[in-house]
Amino acid sequence: NAGVMQNPRHLVRRRGQEARLRCSPMKGHSHVYWYRQLPEEGLKFMVYLQKENIIDESGMPKERFSAEFPKEGPSILRIQQVVRGDSAAYFCASSQQGQPNSPLHFGNGTRLTVT
Amino acid sequence: AQKITQTQPGMFVQEKEAVTLDCTYDTSDPSYGLFWYKQPSSGEMIFLIYQGSYDQQNATEGRYSLNFQKARKSANLVISASQLGDSAMYFCAMREAPSGGSYIPTFGRGTSLIVHP
């Protein structure tokens, strides 16, 4: 499967635990984006990364959230000390370039539920 | 201010008929890209069609076409010959780079399309 791979598909965490969401971009794509989607809403941008670099994290909450895209391996979105308000679908997308004509290709998302 | 506005929260169409989903956008960047995505009930986001700000012709992809009116800043999606499988949420998105920053895609709130048999 050459598409964007996200895992796990569903993740349940208790309040205060850590959540780790993984994303492997499409082959040949070096630009990775993370979005959050709440029920009945559109996608909200969180962070944009290229290999080993955070390019734009203007949508990331200042605390508890972090993201990385190491030289080897998938991109990781990490949420520490989760709260109920973190429950959402988290989508990863990748593109071949960062230019306006380069579409994003999405993974199937990770549905995070905080109990 | 909203960068992408989709004014139709829900739309209904009869199978085999055409339907137009509205999208207006706001940008001062001369170089931008417009995209439409489909999100069926299974949850994945499927890329449908792209229109560049400098493109002279409207984009088409099979049964999808984009009615691009640059002066009115609108990029409506037209689905011809609707099928039951077209029932889904549809999101309009824009990539722009204000102030020379990164081209971060921004999404509208979506339109729910239901196709009736």
Side-chain angles (χ1 to χ4, degrees):
Chain A
N1 186 343
V4 179
M5 302 299 294
Q6 283 190 256
N7 65 81
R9 189 75 189 267
H10 299 275
L11 183 61
V12 179
R13 285 287 180 265
R14 291 183 177 156
R15 280 180 297 169
Q17 291 185 320
E18 178 179 287
R20 282 192 173 224
L21 288 63
R22 295 175 189 78
C23 169
S24 296
M26 279 182 73
K27 190 174 181 181
H29 287 193
S30 59
H31 300 254
V32 167
Y33 309 78
W34 285 93
Y35 285 82
R36 176 164 62 179
Q37 184 179 34
L38 295 171
E40 310 300 323
E41 292 191 12
L43 279 72
K44 300 296 184 187
F45 168 73
M46 299 181 73
V47 62
Y48 163 36
L49 311 101
Q50 291 185 45
K51 280 290 186 181
E52 300 184 275
N53 292 308
I54 295 175
I55 307 301
D56 189 320
E57 57 181 348
S58 57
M60 285 276 271
K62 297 296 180 206
E63 297 177 350
R64 302 187 299 108
F65 285 72
S66 63
E68 63 177 9
F69 188 15
K71 187 176 181 180
E72 300 291 336
S75 175
I76 305 287
L77 179 67
R78 183 181 177 205
I79 311 173
Q80 295 178 293
Q81 299 175 324
V82 296
V83 300
R84 289 223 172 101
D86 297 333
S87 295
Y90 292 83
F91 285 92
C92 169
S94 71
S95 67
Q96 195 169 34
Q97 300 172 2
Q99 299 307 309
N101 64 343
S102 188
L104 268 60
H105 296 271
F106 282 83
N108 287 335
T110 294
R111 273 84 184 158
L112 172 66
T113 302
V114 180
T115 60
Chain B
Q2 287 278 0
K3 287 288 185 178
I4 296 285
T5 303
Q6 294 181 256
T7 57
Q8 308 151 313
M11 289 285 286
F12 297 88
V13 66
Q14 201 76 24
E15 193 178 10
K16 298 181 186 177
E17 293 186 348
V19 63
T20 297
L21 306 183
D22 294 342
C23 173
T24 57
Y25 58 92
D26 181 25
T27 182
S28 57
D29 190 351
S31 178
Y32 54 90
L34 297 158
F35 304 85
W36 278 91
Y37 288 83
K38 172 184 178 181
Q39 187 177 40
S41 58
S42 50
E44 68 269 33
M45 293 286 288
I46 303 166
F47 166 65
L48 296 178
I49 195 167
Y50 158 79
Q51 179 85 45
S53 59
Y54 295 118
D55 292 345
Q56 296 297 313
Q57 294 191 329
N58 288 340
T60 60
E61 286 288 345
R63 293 186 298 111
Y64 304 109
S65 61
L66 204 153
N67 184 359
F68 181 45
Q69 298 187 44
K70 193 170 183 176
R72 300 173 86 174
K73 294 188 177 178
S74 75
N76 298 339
L77 177 70
V78 181
I79 306 174
S80 62
S82 297
Q83 301 172 358
L84 296 178
D86 293 334
S87 295
M89 284 291 292
Y90 288 81
F91 292 96
C92 179
M94 175 175 64
R95 288 191 85 158
E96 57 161 353
S99 304
S102 303
Y103 285 98
I104 303 298
T106 307
F107 286 77
R109 292 177 66 91
T111 294
S112 173
L113 175 66
I114 296 176
V115 180
H116 288 300

Coordinates of all heavy atoms in Angstrom, one line a residue, chain A residues 97 99-105, chain B residues 30-37 46-62 64-68 75-77 91-96 103 105:
Chain A
Q97 N 5.4 18.2 -2.5 CA 6.1 19.5 -2.4 C 5.3 20.3 -1.4 O 4.1 20.0 -1.1 CB 6.2 20.1 -3.7 CG 6.9 19.4 -4.8 CD 6.8 20.0 -6.2 OE1 6.1 21.0 -6.3 NE2 7.4 19.4 -7.2
Q99 N 4.4 23.4 -2.3 CA 3.8 24.4 -3.2 C 2.3 24.4 -3.3 O 1.7 23.3 -3.0 CB 4.4 24.3 -4.6 CG 5.9 24.4 -4.6 CD 6.4 25.7 -3.9 OE1 5.9 26.8 -4.2 NE2 7.3 25.6 -3.0
P100 N 1.7 25.5 -3.7 CA 0.2 25.5 -3.7 C -0.5 24.5 -4.6 O -1.6 24.2 -4.5 CB -0.1 27.0 -4.1 CG 1.1 27.5 -4.8 CD 2.3 26.7 -4.1
N101 N 0.3 24.0 -5.7 CA -0.4 23.1 -6.6 C -0.2 21.6 -6.2 O -0.5 20.7 -6.9 CB 0.2 23.3 -8.0 CG 1.7 23.0 -8.1 OD1 2.4 22.9 -7.1 ND2 2.2 22.8 -9.3
S102 N 0.4 21.4 -5.0 CA 0.6 20.0 -4.6 C -0.4 19.6 -3.6 O -0.5 20.1 -2.5 CB 2.0 20.0 -3.9 OG 2.4 18.7 -3.6
P103 N -1.3 18.6 -4.0 CA -2.4 18.2 -3.1 C -1.9 17.4 -1.9 O -0.8 16.8 -2.0 CB -3.3 17.3 -4.0 CG -2.3 16.8 -5.1 CD -1.3 17.9 -5.3
L104 N -2.6 17.5 -0.9 CA -2.4 16.6 0.3 C -3.1 15.3 0.1 O -4.2 15.3 -0.3 CB -2.9 17.3 1.6 CG -1.9 18.2 2.4 CD1 -1.4 19.3 1.5 CD2 -2.5 18.7 3.6
H105 N -2.4 14.3 0.5 CA -3.0 12.9 0.5 C -3.1 12.5 2.0 O -2.1 12.5 2.7 CB -2.2 12.0 -0.3 CG -2.1 12.3 -1.8 ND1 -3.1 11.9 -2.7 CD2 -1.3 13.1 -2.5 CE1 -2.8 12.4 -3.9 NE2 -1.8 13.2 -3.8
Chain B
P30 N -1.5 36.2 -4.5 CA -1.8 35.9 -5.9 C -1.6 34.5 -6.3 O -2.2 34.0 -7.3 CB -0.9 36.9 -6.7 CG 0.3 37.1 -5.8 CD -0.3 37.0 -4.4
S31 N -0.8 33.8 -5.6 CA -0.5 32.4 -5.9 C -1.2 31.5 -4.9 O -0.7 31.5 -3.7 CB 1.0 32.1 -6.0 OG 1.3 30.8 -6.2
Y32 N -2.1 30.7 -5.3 CA -2.8 29.8 -4.3 C -3.4 28.6 -5.1 O -3.5 28.6 -6.3 CB -3.9 30.5 -3.5 CG -4.9 31.2 -4.4 CD1 -6.1 30.6 -4.8 CD2 -4.8 32.6 -4.7 CE1 -7.0 31.2 -5.5 CE2 -5.7 33.2 -5.5 CZ -6.8 32.6 -5.9 OH -7.8 33.2 -6.7
G33 N -3.7 27.6 -4.3 CA -4.3 26.4 -4.9 C -5.6 26.1 -4.2 O -5.7 26.3 -3.0
L34 N -6.6 25.6 -4.9 CA -7.9 25.2 -4.3 C -8.1 23.7 -4.6 O -7.8 23.2 -5.6 CB -9.0 26.0 -5.0 CG -8.9 27.5 -4.8 CD1 -9.6 28.3 -5.9 CD2 -9.4 27.9 -3.4
F35 N -8.7 23.1 -3.5 CA -8.8 21.6 -3.6 C -10.2 21.3 -3.0 O -10.8 22.0 -2.2 CB -7.8 20.9 -2.7 CG -6.4 21.3 -3.0 CD1 -5.8 22.4 -2.5 CD2 -5.6 20.5 -3.8 CE1 -4.5 22.7 -2.8 CE2 -4.3 20.8 -4.2 CZ -3.7 21.9 -3.6
W36 N -10.7 20.1 -3.5 CA -11.9 19.5 -2.9 C -11.6 18.1 -2.4 O -10.9 17.4 -3.2 CB -13.0 19.5 -3.9 CG -13.8 20.8 -4.0 CD1 -13.6 21.8 -4.9 CD2 -14.9 21.2 -3.2 NE1 -14.5 22.8 -4.6 CE2 -15.3 22.4 -3.7 CE3 -15.7 20.5 -2.2 CZ2 -16.4 23.1 -3.1 CZ3 -16.8 21.2 -1.7 CH2 -17.1 22.5 -2.1
Y37 N -12.1 17.8 -1.3 CA -12.0 16.5 -0.7 C -13.3 15.9 -0.3 O -14.2 16.6 0.0 CB -11.1 16.5 0.6 CG -9.6 16.8 0.3 CD1 -9.2 18.1 0.2 CD2 -8.7 15.7 0.2 CE1 -7.9 18.3 -0.1 CE2 -7.4 16.0 0.0 CZ -7.0 17.3 -0.2 OH -5.6 17.5 -0.4
I46 N -10.6 11.8 0.8 CA -10.2 11.5 -0.5 C -10.1 12.7 -1.4 O -11.0 13.5 -1.5 CB -11.3 10.5 -1.1 CG1 -11.5 9.3 -0.2 CG2 -10.9 10.2 -2.6 CD1 -12.7 8.5 -0.6
F47 N -8.9 12.9 -2.0 CA -8.6 14.1 -2.8 C -9.4 13.9 -4.1 O -9.4 12.8 -4.7 CB -7.2 14.2 -3.1 CG -6.8 15.1 -4.2 CD1 -7.1 16.5 -4.2 CD2 -6.3 14.6 -5.4 CE1 -6.8 17.3 -5.2 CE2 -5.9 15.5 -6.5 CZ -6.2 16.8 -6.4
L48 N -10.1 14.9 -4.5 CA -11.0 14.9 -5.7 C -10.4 15.7 -6.9 O -10.3 15.2 -8.0 CB -12.4 15.4 -5.4 CG -13.2 14.6 -4.4 CD1 -14.6 15.3 -4.2 CD2 -13.4 13.2 -4.9
I49 N -10.1 17.0 -6.6 CA -9.8 17.9 -7.7 C -9.0 19.1 -7.2 O -9.2 19.5 -6.1 CB -11.1 18.3 -8.4 CG1 -10.9 18.9 -9.8 CG2 -12.0 19.2 -7.5 CD1 -12.2 19.0 -10.6
Y50 N -8.2 19.6 -8.1 CA -7.4 20.8 -7.8 C -7.6 21.9 -8.9 O -7.7 21.6 -10.1 CB -5.9 20.3 -7.8 CG -4.9 21.5 -8.0 CD1 -4.6 22.3 -7.0 CD2 -4.4 21.7 -9.3 CE1 -3.7 23.4 -7.2 CE2 -3.5 22.8 -9.5 CZ -3.2 23.6 -8.4 OH -2.3 24.6 -8.6
Q51 N -7.5 23.1 -8.4 CA -7.5 24.3 -9.3 C -6.5 25.3 -8.9 O -6.5 25.7 -7.7 CB -8.9 25.0 -9.3 CG -9.0 26.2 -10.2 CD -9.4 25.8 -11.6 OE1 -10.3 25.0 -11.8 NE2 -8.8 26.5 -12.5
G52 N -5.6 25.7 -9.8 CA -4.6 26.7 -9.4 C -5.1 28.1 -9.7 O -5.9 28.3 -10.7
S53 N -4.5 29.0 -9.0 CA -5.0 30.4 -9.2 C -4.7 31.0 -10.5 O -5.3 31.9 -11.0 CB -4.4 31.3 -8.1 OG -3.0 31.3 -8.1
Y54 N -3.7 30.5 -11.2 CA -3.3 31.0 -12.5 C -3.9 30.1 -13.6 O -3.6 30.4 -14.8 CB -1.8 31.0 -12.6 CG -1.1 32.0 -11.7 CD1 -0.2 31.5 -10.7 CD2 -1.4 33.3 -11.7 CE1 0.4 32.4 -9.8 CE2 -0.8 34.2 -10.8 CZ 0.1 33.8 -9.9 OH 0.7 34.6 -9.0
D55 N -4.6 29.1 -13.3 CA -5.2 28.2 -14.4 C -6.3 29.0 -15.1 O -7.1 29.6 -14.5 CB -5.8 27.0 -13.8 CG -4.7 26.0 -13.2 OD1 -3.5 26.3 -13.5 OD2 -5.1 25.1 -12.4
Q56 N -6.2 28.9 -16.4 CA -7.2 29.7 -17.2 C -8.5 28.9 -17.4 O -9.5 29.5 -17.6 CB -6.6 29.9 -18.6 CG -5.4 30.9 -18.6 CD -5.7 32.2 -18.1 OE1 -6.7 32.8 -18.5 NE2 -4.9 32.8 -17.2
Q57 N -8.4 27.6 -17.3 CA -9.6 26.7 -17.6 C -10.0 26.1 -16.2 O -9.2 25.8 -15.4 CB -9.2 25.6 -18.6 CG -9.0 26.2 -20.0 CD -8.9 25.1 -21.0 OE1 -8.5 24.0 -20.8 NE2 -9.3 25.4 -22.3
N58 N -11.3 25.8 -16.2 CA -11.8 25.1 -15.0 C -11.3 23.6 -15.0 O -11.2 23.0 -16.1 CB -13.3 25.1 -15.0 CG -13.9 26.4 -14.7 OD1 -13.2 27.3 -14.2 ND2 -15.1 26.6 -15.1
A59 N -10.9 23.2 -13.8 CA -10.4 21.8 -13.7 C -11.6 20.8 -13.8 O -12.7 21.1 -13.4 CB -9.8 21.6 -12.3
T60 N -11.3 19.6 -14.4 CA -12.3 18.5 -14.5 C -11.5 17.2 -14.2 O -10.4 17.0 -14.5 CB -12.9 18.4 -15.9 OG1 -11.9 18.2 -16.8 CG2 -13.6 19.7 -16.2
E61 N -12.3 16.3 -13.5 CA -11.8 15.0 -13.2 C -12.9 14.1 -13.2 O -13.7 14.0 -12.2 CB -11.1 14.9 -11.8 CG -9.8 15.6 -11.6 CD -8.6 14.8 -12.3 OE1 -8.8 13.6 -12.7 OE2 -7.6 15.4 -12.5
G62 N -13.2 13.4 -14.3 CA -14.3 12.5 -14.5 C -15.6 13.3 -14.3 O -15.9 14.2 -15.0
Y64 N -16.4 15.1 -11.8 CA -16.2 16.3 -11.0 C -15.6 17.4 -11.8 O -14.7 17.2 -12.6 CB -15.2 16.0 -9.8 CG -15.5 14.9 -8.9 CD1 -14.8 13.7 -9.0 CD2 -16.6 15.0 -8.0 CE1 -15.2 12.6 -8.1 CE2 -16.9 13.9 -7.2 CZ -16.2 12.7 -7.2 OH -16.5 11.7 -6.4
S65 N -16.2 18.6 -11.6 CA -15.6 19.8 -12.3 C -15.6 20.9 -11.3 O -16.4 20.9 -10.3 CB -16.3 20.1 -13.5 OG -17.7 20.4 -13.3
L66 N -14.7 21.8 -11.5 CA -14.6 23.0 -10.5 C -15.0 24.2 -11.3 O -14.3 24.5 -12.3 CB -13.2 23.0 -10.0 CG -13.0 23.7 -8.6 CD1 -11.8 23.2 -7.9 CD2 -12.9 25.2 -8.8
N67 N -16.0 24.9 -10.8 CA -16.4 26.2 -11.4 C -15.7 27.3 -10.7 O -16.1 27.8 -9.7 CB -18.0 26.3 -11.3 CG -18.5 27.6 -12.0 OD1 -17.7 28.3 -12.6 ND2 -19.8 27.8 -11.9
F68 N -14.6 27.7 -11.4 CA -13.7 28.6 -10.8 C -14.0 30.1 -11.3 O -13.9 30.3 -12.5 CB -12.2 28.3 -11.1 CG -11.2 29.2 -10.5 CD1 -11.2 29.6 -9.2 CD2 -10.1 29.6 -11.3 CE1 -10.2 30.4 -8.7 CE2 -9.1 30.4 -10.8 CZ -9.1 30.8 -9.5
A75 N -15.1 28.8 -5.8 CA -14.6 27.6 -6.4 C -15.6 26.5 -6.1 O -15.3 25.6 -5.3 CB -13.2 27.3 -5.8
N76 N -16.7 26.5 -6.8 CA -17.7 25.5 -6.6 C -17.4 24.2 -7.2 O -17.0 24.1 -8.4 CB -19.1 26.1 -7.1 CG -19.5 27.4 -6.4 OD1 -19.0 27.7 -5.3 ND2 -20.3 28.1 -7.0
L77 N -17.8 23.1 -6.5 CA -17.6 21.8 -7.1 C -18.9 21.3 -7.7 O -20.0 21.5 -7.1 CB -17.3 20.8 -5.9 CG -17.1 19.3 -6.3 CD1 -15.9 19.1 -7.2 CD2 -17.1 18.4 -5.1
F91 N -15.3 18.7 1.5 CA -14.6 19.8 2.1 C -13.8 20.6 1.0 O -13.1 20.0 0.1 CB -13.6 19.3 3.1 CG -14.2 18.8 4.3 CD1 -14.4 17.4 4.5 CD2 -14.6 19.6 5.4 CE1 -15.0 16.9 5.6 CE2 -15.2 19.1 6.5 CZ -15.4 17.8 6.6
C92 N -13.9 21.9 1.0 CA -13.2 22.8 0.1 C -11.9 23.2 0.9 O -12.0 23.4 2.1 CB -14.0 24.0 -0.2 SG -13.2 25.2 -1.3
A93 N -10.8 23.3 0.3 CA -9.5 23.7 0.9 C -8.7 24.6 0.0 O -8.8 24.6 -1.2 CB -8.7 22.5 1.3
M94 N -7.9 25.4 0.7 CA -7.1 26.4 -0.1 C -5.6 26.3 0.5 O -5.4 26.2 1.7 CB -7.6 27.8 0.1 CG -6.7 28.9 -0.6 SD -7.4 30.5 -0.5 CE -7.5 30.8 1.2
R95 N -4.6 26.3 -0.4 CA -3.3 26.5 0.0 C -2.8 27.9 -0.4 O -2.9 28.2 -1.6 CB -2.4 25.5 -0.7 CG -2.5 24.0 -0.2 CD -1.4 23.1 -0.7 NE -0.3 23.2 0.1 CZ 0.7 22.3 0.2 NH1 0.6 21.2 -0.5 NH2 1.7 22.4 1.0
E96 N -2.4 28.7 0.5 CA -1.9 30.0 0.3 C -0.7 30.2 1.2 O -0.5 29.4 2.1 CB -2.9 31.1 0.6 CG -3.5 31.0 2.0 CD -4.1 32.3 2.5 OE1 -4.1 33.3 1.8 OE2 -4.7 32.2 3.6
Y103 N 2.9 27.2 2.6 CA 1.6 27.0 2.0 C 0.8 26.0 2.8 O 0.8 24.8 2.5 CB 1.8 26.5 0.6 CG 2.2 27.6 -0.4 CD1 3.5 27.7 -0.8 CD2 1.2 28.4 -1.0 CE1 3.9 28.7 -1.7 CE2 1.6 29.4 -1.8 CZ 2.9 29.5 -2.2 OH 3.3 30.5 -3.1
P105 N -2.5 24.3 3.9 CA -3.9 24.1 3.5 C -4.9 24.4 4.6 O -4.8 23.9 5.7 CB -4.0 22.7 3.1 CG -2.6 22.3 2.9 CD -1.8 23.0 3.8

